[in-house]
Amino acid sequence: MPEQTKAPINVGLSEPDRQAIAEGLSKMLADTYTLYLKTHNFHWNVTGPMFNTLHTLFEQEYTELATAVDEIAERIRSLGFPAPGTYAEFIKLSSISETEGVPKAEEMIRLLVEANETVIRTARETLQKAEQAGDESTVDLLTQRMSVHEKNAWMLRSHLE
């Protein structure tokens, strides 16, 4: 349900299309925030011979993700809907599960590859809705996000070879 506005939204997208896209973006936001938290946690807790490399890599990735969650949330708002912003909402919406304890560095990498690929799949689902509705702004955002996560998954995966 869109929030009450003083002026109706008339950007060439129907309310049902905007709502469907906002719902998909909310899942994308939840996945991205969960990945942000997982990456930051691993940054803090990584140990072992790859410490410096992974500590730096994880910091680069979580810093980029912090900007991304803002962009996704603002796109949801631009469509006229409230952005989810609590852990409870993110847990319900996210396809990425939290990691209990502190895994070894190699397991951290594997979990982050898996999580980045999950974000890509979520983006692809929402991208289809946005394309069908003619929402080029969301298509552009999701295309950029997919590119970032594909590159991150590749870079992380390279540490496992």
Side-chain angles (χ1 to χ4, degrees), residues 91-105:
I91 288 169
K92 287 180 190 172
L93 291 168
S94 184
S95 302
I96 300 170
S97 58
E98 292 183 331
T99 300
E100 301 272 330
V102 180
K104 298 284 186 196

Side-chain angles (χ1 to χ4, degrees), residues 34-155:
T34 304
L35 175 57
Y36 162 82
L37 188 59
K38 186 181 293 263
T39 306
H40 211 152
N41 175 26
F42 292 170
H43 164 78
W44 290 327
N45 291 300
V46 68
T47 59
M50 295 188 293
F51 169 79
N52 196 44
T53 300
L54 293 179
H55 187 74
T56 301
L57 178 62
F58 295 166
E59 182 175 11
Q60 290 168 351
E61 291 185 5
Y62 80 69
T63 300
E64 193 281 332
L65 288 164
T67 300
V69 294
D70 197 51
E71 291 171 355
I72 297 165
E74 288 178 355
R75 182 66 196 145
I76 295 166
R77 297 294 298 129
S78 295
L79 292 168
F81 295 86
T86 66
Y87 288 122
E89 289 173 299
F90 290 155
I91 288 169
K92 287 180 190 172
L93 291 168
S94 184
S95 302
I96 300 170
S97 58
E98 292 183 331
T99 300
E100 301 272 330
V102 180
K104 298 284 186 196
E106 193 167 302
E107 180 66 4
M108 288 178 176
I109 297 166
R110 191 190 65 71
L111 289 166
L112 291 177
V113 168
E114 183 180 288
N116 273 281
E117 290 177 345
T118 299
V119 174
I120 295 164
R121 291 190 302 273
T122 299
R124 285 190 196 286
E125 290 173 17
T126 306
L127 181 72
Q128 290 175 358
K129 293 174 190 172
E131 284 177 332
Q132 290 169 354
D135 180 0
E136 291 84 2
S137 296
T138 299
V139 168
D140 182 54
L141 172 65
L142 292 171
T143 301
Q144 290 177 36
R145 295 307 317 149
M146 286 170 33
S147 179
V148 167
H149 291 288
E150 288 170 351
K151 184 175 180 180
N152 287 350
W154 158 62
M155 289 187 162

